[in-house]
Short mmCIF file of all heavy atoms in Angstrom, two decimals:
data_model
loop_
_atom_site.label_atom_id
_atom_site.label_comp_id
_atom_site.label_asym_id
_atom_site.label_seq_id
_atom_site.Cartn_x
_atom_site.Cartn_y
_atom_site.Cartn_z
N SER A 115 67.95 -10.32 -55.63
CA SER A 115 67.25 -11.59 -55.82
C SER A 115 66.92 -11.82 -57.29
O SER A 115 66.74 -12.94 -57.73
CB SER A 115 65.95 -11.66 -55.03
OG SER A 115 65.99 -10.90 -53.89
N PHE A 116 66.82 -10.74 -58.04
CA PHE A 116 66.49 -10.89 -59.46
C PHE A 116 67.70 -11.32 -60.29
O PHE A 116 67.56 -11.89 -61.37
CB PHE A 116 65.96 -9.57 -60.03
CG PHE A 116 64.51 -9.63 -60.39
CD1 PHE A 116 63.55 -8.96 -59.66
CD2 PHE A 116 64.10 -10.39 -61.48
CE1 PHE A 116 62.21 -9.03 -60.00
CE2 PHE A 116 62.77 -10.48 -61.82
CZ PHE A 116 61.82 -9.79 -61.07
N LEU A 117 68.90 -11.05 -59.75
CA LEU A 117 70.13 -11.26 -60.54
C LEU A 117 70.21 -12.64 -61.22
O LEU A 117 70.51 -12.71 -62.40
CB LEU A 117 71.36 -11.04 -59.66
CG LEU A 117 71.77 -9.59 -59.44
CD1 LEU A 117 73.04 -9.52 -58.61
CD2 LEU A 117 71.96 -8.88 -60.78
N PRO A 118 69.97 -13.75 -60.49
CA PRO A 118 70.19 -15.04 -61.16
C PRO A 118 69.12 -15.41 -62.17
O PRO A 118 69.25 -16.44 -62.83
CB PRO A 118 70.16 -16.05 -60.00
CG PRO A 118 69.89 -15.29 -58.76
CD PRO A 118 69.56 -13.90 -59.11
N PHE A 119 68.07 -14.60 -62.33
CA PHE A 119 66.96 -15.03 -63.18
C PHE A 119 66.87 -14.26 -64.48
O PHE A 119 67.34 -13.14 -64.58
CB PHE A 119 65.65 -14.89 -62.42
CG PHE A 119 65.62 -15.73 -61.18
CD1 PHE A 119 65.86 -15.16 -59.95
CD2 PHE A 119 65.38 -17.09 -61.26
CE1 PHE A 119 65.85 -15.93 -58.80
CE2 PHE A 119 65.37 -17.87 -60.12
CZ PHE A 119 65.62 -17.29 -58.90
N LYS A 120 66.24 -14.90 -65.47
CA LYS A 120 65.98 -14.20 -66.73
C LYS A 120 64.89 -13.17 -66.48
O LYS A 120 64.11 -13.29 -65.55
CB LYS A 120 65.54 -15.20 -67.80
CG LYS A 120 66.73 -15.80 -68.52
CD LYS A 120 66.25 -16.43 -69.82
CE LYS A 120 66.38 -17.92 -69.75
NZ LYS A 120 65.44 -18.80 -70.21
N LYS A 121 64.81 -12.17 -67.37
CA LYS A 121 63.96 -11.03 -67.06
C LYS A 121 62.48 -11.38 -66.91
O LYS A 121 61.77 -10.74 -66.16
CB LYS A 121 64.15 -9.92 -68.09
CG LYS A 121 63.80 -10.33 -69.50
CD LYS A 121 63.84 -9.14 -70.43
CE LYS A 121 63.38 -9.56 -71.82
NZ LYS A 121 63.23 -8.49 -72.75
N ASP A 122 62.02 -12.39 -67.64
CA ASP A 122 60.59 -12.67 -67.55
C ASP A 122 60.27 -13.84 -66.63
O ASP A 122 59.15 -14.31 -66.57
CB ASP A 122 60.02 -12.95 -68.95
CG ASP A 122 59.92 -11.68 -69.74
OD1 ASP A 122 59.73 -10.61 -69.11
OD2 ASP A 122 60.03 -11.73 -70.98
N SER A 123 61.30 -14.30 -65.90
CA SER A 123 61.10 -15.50 -65.11
C SER A 123 60.13 -15.28 -63.95
O SER A 123 60.34 -14.39 -63.11
CB SER A 123 62.46 -15.96 -64.59
OG SER A 123 62.35 -16.46 -63.30
N THR A 124 59.09 -16.10 -63.92
CA THR A 124 58.13 -15.99 -62.82
C THR A 124 58.82 -16.28 -61.49
O THR A 124 58.54 -15.64 -60.48
CB THR A 124 56.98 -16.99 -63.04
OG1 THR A 124 56.48 -16.79 -64.35
CG2 THR A 124 55.86 -16.77 -62.04
N THR A 125 59.74 -17.26 -61.52
CA THR A 125 60.46 -17.59 -60.29
C THR A 125 61.18 -16.36 -59.75
O THR A 125 61.18 -16.11 -58.55
CB THR A 125 61.51 -18.69 -60.58
OG1 THR A 125 60.95 -19.60 -61.52
CG2 THR A 125 61.89 -19.42 -59.32
N GLY A 126 61.79 -15.60 -60.65
CA GLY A 126 62.50 -14.40 -60.24
C GLY A 126 61.57 -13.43 -59.51
O GLY A 126 61.89 -12.93 -58.44
N TYR A 127 60.39 -13.19 -60.11
CA TYR A 127 59.42 -12.29 -59.48
C TYR A 127 59.02 -12.79 -58.10
O TYR A 127 58.99 -12.05 -57.13
CB TYR A 127 58.16 -12.19 -60.35
CG TYR A 127 58.26 -11.21 -61.48
CD1 TYR A 127 58.74 -11.59 -62.73
CD2 TYR A 127 57.86 -9.89 -61.31
CE1 TYR A 127 58.81 -10.69 -63.77
CE2 TYR A 127 57.92 -8.98 -62.34
CZ TYR A 127 58.42 -9.38 -63.58
OH TYR A 127 58.49 -8.49 -64.60
#
Side-chain angles (χ1 to χ4, degrees):
Chain A
S115 331
F116 248 109
L117 280 183
F119 300 100
K120 273 197 248 138
K121 61 172 184 173
D122 286 330
S123 143
T124 308
T125 322
Y127 277 89

